[in-house]
Amino acid sequence: MSFQHKKSLGQHFLNSEYVPKQMCDAGNVSVGDIVLEIGPGTGVLTREILNRGAKVIAIEADVRAIESLQENFVTEIDSGQLTTHHHDARSLDMALFGLVDQQFKVIANIPYYISGLLFRQCLESDIQPTDLVFLVQKEVAERIARDTKESILSMSVKVFGDPSYICTVKRGHFTPPPAVDSAVIAVRSINKNRLHGIETKTFFELLHSAFGQKRKQLAGNWREHFDKALVAETLIDMQLDPKIRAEDLEIDQFLDLITKLQQK
C-alpha cells in the first residue's frame, strides 16, 4: 500500500536503504533491543530495525501509515515484534506504550516542525531511553553537536546525553525532497546524572534566562536570580571570565556554576 504525503504532517518519506542503515548503526540496534519509532510513515526505517532483530513500538498520527504497516508487516505484527499505535507524537507519554526507564532506544525520522518538542519529550521524560537517533534538519544537528558556541537547544540536549553528528543526508533520499539537507544525530548515554540534584525545572528556567539576551553577559542575564557581583565572583573562583556569556560555557561548567551559586 502506498499513499501521498501530507504536507500538514511534515511528511518526507525515506526512499533508500542507506539512511536507515546509518541510523541503526548509530543506535547500535541489535537483537533483543526495544525501539520506539516515531512516525514510521511507509516503513522503510521500520524494516531495517526489524531486520536487526529488535522489537519495534511504532507510533504514527496518520491512519494511512498505520494501515500500510499492518499490510506490509503481517508476520512481524502477528509475532509481536512490531506493535503500532495511532497516536500524535506531540503528546508523547512513554508509559502509554509500556516502555521502561533505560530499557529502550528511540530511532526516528521526525517531522522537522516538531523536532525541538520531540527532543524535549524524549530526553526530559521520567522514562528515558538509553540512546536516541533522530533524522533532523542539518542546521539543527549542527547547532547541537558541532557549533563551537552553545545555545538553549544544545545545552538542553547535552544536559541529558552526549550528542554526535553522524552524517549528512541529501534531500534526494526523501520523497518528496525537503527544501534543505538533513542529518543523522545520535544522543548516547542518556541519563539525569549531570544535574546532580539541580531540579529540572530550575535548570531550564536558568538556561532560558542565561540566553535571554544573547549578547549580554551571563551575570547580567541572571540578575533576577542571583546577585550580579556574586555570579562574577563565583566565575572568577572557577577561573572563568566574570564577563563571560552563556554561549561560551560548556554544559558541565554551566551546571557547576549553578550548583555553587545555590550553595552560597
Side-chain angles (χ1 to χ4, degrees):
M1 175 182 176
S2 62
F3 52 93
Q4 294 296 313
H5 80 288
K6 280 187 178 179
K7 190 173 182 180
S8 62
L9 294 177
Q11 291 175 330
H12 296 279
F13 300 130
L14 287 167
N15 58 25
S16 73
E17 295 181 358
Y18 167 78
V19 180
K21 289 182 186 301
Q22 291 289 318
M23 295 178 72
C24 288
D25 286 349
N28 193 28
V29 176
S30 57
V31 176
D33 281 346
I34 296 173
V35 176
L36 174 66
E37 185 184 4
I38 301 166
T42 57
V44 174
L45 175 57
T46 312
R47 187 172 298 282
E48 180 64 28
I49 301 171
L50 291 168
N51 286 345
R52 297 193 182 210
K55 178 181 178 181
V56 178
I57 297 169
I59 66 168
E60 173 60 64
D62 189 343
V63 69
R64 299 172 307 160
I66 294 285
E67 292 170 353
S68 177
L69 293 170
Q70 291 172 342
E71 181 179 302
N72 294 327
F73 297 99
V74 174
T75 301
E76 292 83 357
I77 290 173
D78 287 346
S79 71
Q81 189 186 4
L82 170 63
T83 56
T84 61
H85 299 270
H86 185 216
H87 187 84
D88 189 334
R90 289 174 295 183
S91 57
L92 190 60
D93 181 350
M94 304 301 183
L96 287 177
F97 313 112
L99 294 164
V100 178
D101 186 39
Q102 294 291 310
Q103 292 188 27
F104 68 102
K105 299 174 180 180
V106 179
I107 314 284
N109 168 27
I110 59 176
Y112 289 159
Y113 74 100
I114 56 171
S115 57
L117 173 65
L118 291 178
F119 271 113
R120 288 197 302 273
Q121 290 188 146
C122 291
L123 295 175
E124 294 176 35
S125 173
D126 290 334
I127 300 174
Q128 289 182 305
T130 55
D131 303 87
L132 176 152
V133 180
F134 276 168
L135 184 52
V136 297
Q137 282 180 300
K138 182 182 178 183
E139 178 187 355
V140 171
E142 288 179 332
R143 201 182 321 150
I144 293 171
R146 281 186 166 177
D147 279 2
T148 56
K149 300 288 186 181
E150 296 292 353
S151 63
I152 289 176
L153 177 60
S154 66
M155 283 199 174
S156 296
V157 172
K158 289 176 181 178
V159 72
F160 295 116
D162 303 319
S164 300
Y165 187 104
I166 303 300
C167 64
T168 300
V169 177
K170 296 297 184 182
R171 49 198 90 178
H173 286 282
F174 299 90
T175 303
V180 296
D181 285 340
S182 304
V184 175
I185 185 169
V187 185
R188 303 187 176 99
S189 303
I190 297 168
N191 58 67
K192 296 188 178 181
N193 297 341
R194 271 202 176 101
L195 287 165
H196 291 302
I198 300 169
E199 293 290 334
T200 304
K201 181 181 178 182
T202 300
F203 168 76
F204 281 104
E205 285 177 356
L206 292 172
L207 179 63
H208 282 271
S209 293
F211 286 89
Q213 296 184 56
K214 190 176 178 183
R215 303 313 301 170
K216 288 193 68 170
Q217 297 167 15
L218 176 60
N221 278 338
W222 269 357
R223 63 190 178 279
E224 293 182 7
H225 302 280
F226 305 108
D227 179 76
K228 187 175 179 180
L230 180 62
V231 176
E233 175 189 307
T234 307
L235 285 165
I236 292 170
D237 289 343
M238 295 171 62
Q239 299 184 325
L240 294 169
D241 185 349
K243 296 180 180 180
I244 201 167
R245 297 186 177 97
E247 63 184 13
D248 294 314
L249 280 169
E250 296 177 2
I251 184 63
D252 288 332
Q253 293 173 323
F254 188 81
L255 291 165
D256 190 28
L257 176 59
I258 293 173
T259 299
K260 284 179 164 57
L261 288 168
Q262 288 184 331
Q263 290 172 347
K264 292 187 176 182

